[in-house]
């Protein structure tokens, strides 16, 4: 590769559920694992949405903080 590039991945959206695709990462642990795999493959930006335990979207800052903690540690 002669030109650098930035790879951004969107590992999940706020709408998809496991019923739509069993591989969609819903839990924080699943999202950290998915982001780490993308990072190891060359991604430098990850777009994330956090969910409650039942899979519904949330903007809970505590859940985002847990996700950030995992991303910083593993990526």
């Amino acid at each position: 590769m002669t030109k650098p590039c930035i790879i951004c991945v969107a590992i999940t959206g706020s709408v998809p559920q496991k019923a739509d695709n069993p591989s969609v990462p819903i839990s924080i642990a699943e999202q950290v694992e998915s982001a780490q795999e993308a990072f190891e493959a060359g991604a430098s930006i990850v777009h994330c949405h956090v969910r409650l335990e039942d899979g519904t979207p949330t903007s809970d800052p505590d859940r985002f903080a847990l996700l950030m903690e995992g991303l910083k540690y593993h990526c």
Side-chain angles (χ1 to χ4, degrees):
M1 181 186 319
T2 58
K3 292 184 180 181
C5 68
I6 296 171
I7 300 171
C8 178
V9 295
I11 58 171
T12 187
S14 61
V15 176
Q17 298 291 324
K18 294 279 188 187
D20 302 315
N21 179 344
S23 298
V24 69
I26 300 291
S27 72
I28 290 178
E30 290 171 337
Q31 288 192 47
V32 169
E33 181 180 0
S34 182
Q36 181 183 13
E37 290 171 357
F39 173 75
E40 290 175 358
S44 56
I45 300 171
V46 62
H47 177 102
C48 302
H49 293 266
V50 293
R51 312 282 188 94
L52 298 174
E53 296 302 323
D54 66 0
T56 57
T58 182
S59 296
D60 181 354
D62 292 333
R63 294 188 78 74
F64 273 107
L66 288 172
L67 179 59
M68 281 300 298
E69 181 180 312
L71 294 176
K72 285 179 180 180
Y73 182 82
H74 291 285
C75 301

